Amino acid sequence: MRVLLIYPEFPDTFWSFKHALPFVRKRASLPPLGLLTLAALMPASWEKRLVDLNVRKLTPRDSDWADMAFVGAMTVQRESARAVIARCKTAGLPVVAGGPLFITEHPDFPQVDHFVLNEAELTLPQFLADLESGKPQRIYETTEFADVQRSPAPLWQLIELRHYATMAVQFSRGCPYNCDFCNVTVLLGHRPRLKTARQIIRELDALYELGWRESVFFVDDNLIGNKRALKESLLPALFEWRKGKTGMTFHTETSINLADDEELMRMMSDAGFNMVFIGIETPSEESLAECGKKHNKNRDLLADIKRIQRHGMQVQGGFIIGFDSDSPSIFRRQIDFIQRSGIVTAMVGLLQAPLGTRLYQRLAREGRLLRAFSGDNVDGMTNIVPRMRLPVLQKGYRAVIRSLYAPANYYARVRTFLREYKPPKVTVPLDVQQVLALFRSVLRLGIMGKERLHYWKFFFWALFRKPRLFPLAITFTIYGYHSRRVLDLHIH
Ligand code: B12
């Protein structure tokens, strides 16, 4: 059996980093970890070829070679997935689909022959058995959650690592919290299921042996969902593993209560974590109560963020506008909060209700759902009828985005961050591409860019005041450029 594993293209969005990647000559930000894991679950005797459309095109030679196509995608890749499925069908290939997009929207894909839904560790074996006996069903699904300690290491050899900006590993699945707008607990459950430290070390070893020295994203829903396992097992193992090695910094997603645990922050930083993405959502206590984000309530969020930054970890933040409790004052409050926090990469979106969430159920009961979730939570659109009038909400939202990413404010935020940030001990050694990225940023932003005055002011400030953090400062100039390009597309 020859199988093609296909990852559809991401549109030009905040998280695609499409305008930033050319600076470092990369083609995509992250590899498709779901498909790489799926490949490892398939029989070893099958021949496998992975086509990530974010890296290269699908050619007739690929489809001529294959006996079957496996397509995996998130909602944001919907359009590309549709086109890919149509192409495979035209080429006469049976199509199997799985992953988040199809879990929620499989009825909208009549061309797909088989859906292998939920966690493939549980559903793929049954499909394989039925395929073998010649009677494969159309849908395989389950309400159970997989034991990730039996999950195989991803088949890295199916991709060319050099095309990606970051690699990915996954320690746990599931999140102990229950925010009403998030579908992670529906997809992956409440109780974090953990791999063993040994599994992760094996995955990191494989990447290191393939020559990877750049950053690795722990794509956990909340890495600190089980703090004890982290402190007693994973972090000490990572610390030991790191000895005698160069590079390979880590970043991940956590909840804000990371800031409460001095020991955990120190251990994470020592293990090589230099960045965490946190769902901050809003400075409004009423809105936090409304969405059930109890763990963000009754705390000094700004002080928490700074504490994490002082432990050598950059904080990226997710923010939401458009809760029922939000009044028009929220626009100014969000801007002020984000500026003061020094969160450079602030993902601000309008409240949306993905299928399967508690929010979706409530709004369906109230007759306030308009259409399916677009899959991109920062496109300035929403699929719900908000309390605030939609034109007011969208106008306010655009003002927030414009303000946050205007060069003067953006660079001010980077400075706020760099003043607070303690340079981490673990770093990635500078390579040729990073040095070239500096020259490309000078050319694009410092010479050709409309923002050049801000750029040079910041450039010299960073060079003289924060020389150790200068490479990071240049990375921020590039991210700022990407964010402005993408958000301009959405808000004009
Ligand atoms: C890494 C990640 C990203 C990366 C994606 C990079 C990449 N190249 O894949 C980035 C940062 C770009 C991203 C962005 C976003 N993401 Co995201 N992301 C994740 C995250 C944290 C991990 C994904 C992962 O690698 N998992 C590990 C692998 C092993 O699991 P898996 O992919 O689910 O695969 C398993 C099964 O699904 C199945 N499977 C997967 N593919 C296939 C294919 C076939 C054929 C079969 C049979 C089975 C199968 O088998 C695998 C093993 O069990 C997930 C949460 C999660 N825990 O999955 C959210 C998640 C996928 N993201 C989500 C969302 C909403 C987003 C954003 C809108 C913003 C946000 N809230 O974060 C943006 C949208 C993108 C944009 N605007 O461009 C949702 C998806 C909802 C949906 N229906 O699409 C998730 C589930 C989290 C959440 N609830 O918010 N994300």
Side-chain angles (χ1 to χ4, degrees):
M1 176 75 93
R2 289 174 165 171
V3 293
L4 261 188
L5 298 129
I6 310 175
Y7 200 49
E9 197 180 350
F10 280 95
D12 194 356
T13 63
F14 191 77
W15 289 118
S16 69
F17 290 112
K18 276 193 184 167
H19 304 281
L21 292 165
F23 283 85
V24 280
R25 291 293 183 266
K26 300 282 185 183
R27 297 191 189 167
S29 64
L30 281 158
L33 196 61
L35 285 179
L36 293 170
T37 308
L38 179 75
L41 289 162
M42 290 173 169
S45 59
W46 283 14
E47 285 182 58
K48 303 162 192 103
R49 185 183 288 183
L50 192 146
V51 180
D52 179 350
L53 294 184
N54 301 287
V55 166
R56 76 160 174 96
K57 289 192 165 40
L58 181 69
T59 66
R61 282 178 57 195
D62 294 318
S63 39
D64 289 349
W65 169 87
D67 299 315
M68 195 179 262
F70 284 74
V71 179
M74 332 204 291
T75 304
V76 73
Q77 293 154 284
R78 190 191 278 130
E79 290 321 311
S80 172
R82 224 180 267 291
V84 159
I85 291 166
R87 267 191 75 179
C88 291
K89 292 307 294 177
T90 310
L93 287 178
V95 174
V96 183
L101 167 66
F102 302 101
I103 293 174
T104 44
E105 298 187 16
H106 59 86
D108 293 343
F109 291 89
Q111 281 196 303
V112 170
D113 298 276
H114 310 283
F115 292 102
V116 178
L117 304 175
N118 308 106
E119 290 169 278
E121 287 86 348
L122 296 178
T123 47
L124 188 75
Q126 191 56 50
F127 170 70
L128 294 178
D130 290 353
L131 191 68
E132 175 102 49
S133 65
K135 289 195 212 73
Q137 311 284 310
R138 181 128 199 282
I139 299 187
Y140 294 82
E141 53 191 339
T142 175
T143 50
E144 314 258 292
F145 295 120
D147 173 2
V148 288
Q149 301 203 351
R150 297 171 63 183
S151 194
L155 275 197
W156 296 114
Q157 50 275 36
L158 294 182
I159 55 164
E160 282 193 67
L161 272 58
R162 67 190 165 91
H163 293 316
Y164 295 90
T166 308
M167 282 297 125
V169 298
Q170 188 185 42
F171 175 57
S172 68
R173 292 184 195 162
C175 175
Y177 299 110
N178 201 8
C179 309
D180 77 352
F181 52 80
C182 177
N183 59 2
V184 154
T185 51
V186 185
L187 292 174
L188 297 163
H190 260 303
R191 196 178 50 83
R193 290 163 287 134
L194 317 179
K195 287 187 183 167
T196 61
R198 190 167 325 149
Q199 276 174 288
I200 292 296
I201 295 298
R202 237 184 282 136
E203 294 186 25
L204 292 175
D205 271 339
L207 288 172
Y208 200 82
E209 274 159 29
L210 288 167
W212 189 256
R213 298 291 179 274
E214 294 171 62
S215 68
V216 176
F217 183 10
F218 278 67
V219 296
D220 293 41
D221 305 305
N222 183 355
L223 185 80
I224 65 167
N226 182 332
K227 288 189 191 178
R228 199 165 140 209
L230 214 57
K231 284 186 189 171
E232 291 179 4
S233 170
L234 181 69
L235 293 175
L238 293 179
F239 186 72
E240 278 305 308
W241 175 83
R242 184 160 285 297
K243 288 183 181 160
K245 298 200 171 56
T246 47
M248 269 244 211
T249 51
F250 304 138
H251 58 284
T252 191
E253 305 185 345
T254 71
S255 38
I256 190 71
N257 54 336
L258 169 63
D260 303 340
D261 195 328
E262 200 71 34
E263 187 192 12
L264 185 57
M265 287 188 287
R266 189 178 42 71
M267 287 180 79
M268 279 181 66
S269 174
D270 288 348
F273 284 88
N274 64 10
M275 185 160 75
V276 289
F277 178 93
I278 299 181
I280 312 276
E281 321 308 354
T282 174
S284 156
E285 289 281 313
E286 296 77 24
S287 300
L288 289 171
E290 174 189 318
C291 68
K293 194 135 190 162
K294 293 195 196 86
H295 50 289
N296 280 31
K297 281 190 69 206
N298 303 318
R299 43 165 74 243
D300 184 343
L301 289 167
L302 278 176
D304 292 340
I305 293 162
K306 306 238 167 212
R307 205 169 314 125
I308 299 172
Q309 293 167 341
R310 284 199 296 273
H311 278 82
M313 286 180 281
Q314 185 196 145
V315 178
Q316 298 186 325
F319 296 88
I320 297 176
I321 296 181
F323 291 106
D324 284 358
S325 329
D326 283 349
S327 70
S329 66
I330 195 65
F331 305 123
R332 189 73 251 164
R333 285 178 72 188
Q334 286 279 23
I335 295 172
D336 290 344
F337 180 91
I338 294 169
Q339 281 305 118
R340 287 169 62 199
S341 71
I343 292 182
V344 180
T345 304
M347 168 180 94
V348 187
L350 287 184
L351 182 67
Q352 300 221 37
L355 196 73
T357 56
R358 283 193 297 128
L359 179 67
Y360 188 94
Q361 287 161 7
R362 172 168 75 83
L363 296 180
R365 278 197 308 274
E366 295 174 12
R368 294 170 58 195
L369 284 174
L370 292 175
R371 63 186 87 85
F373 167 45
S374 68
D376 178 5
N377 60 340
V378 277
D379 58 5
M381 309 289 277
T382 180
N383 65 335
I384 68 171
V385 179
R387 267 284 146 76
M388 205 186 300
R389 286 197 318 111
L390 189 61
V392 178
L393 185 60
Q394 286 184 318
K395 187 162 171 248
Y397 174 74
R398 281 189 219 114
V400 171
I401 297 296
R402 255 190 228 116
S403 168
L404 289 176
Y405 287 92
N409 289 345
Y410 179 80
Y411 285 122
R413 207 154 72 243
V414 181
R415 275 195 286 266
T416 303
F417 166 66
L418 293 178
R419 280 193 201 101
E420 201 74 48
Y421 188 50
K422 182 176 144 234
K425 285 182 224 144
V426 181
T427 52
V428 171
L430 271 188
D431 68 3
V432 184
Q433 279 309 333
Q434 274 170 300
V435 178
L436 289 175
L438 167 67
F439 292 113
R440 291 179 192 124
S441 93
V442 165
L443 183 69
R444 246 308 156 65
L445 309 172
I447 298 173
M448 288 152 63
K450 278 192 293 202
E451 61 184 60
R452 49 187 173 265
L453 219 66
H454 297 284
Y455 176 85
W456 286 115
K457 240 171 90 186
F458 173 71
F459 186 101
F460 287 112
W461 178 88
L463 188 63
F464 292 115
R465 297 281 188 86
K466 296 284 169 189
R468 275 186 70 192
L469 293 172
F470 188 65
L472 180 62
I474 292 301
T475 306
F476 281 132
T477 65
I478 297 169
Y479 282 0
Y481 170 75
H482 164 76
S483 306
R484 269 188 295 282
R485 291 289 299 267
V486 163
L487 298 168
D488 265 2
L489 282 177
H490 288 331
I491 66 175
H492 288 301

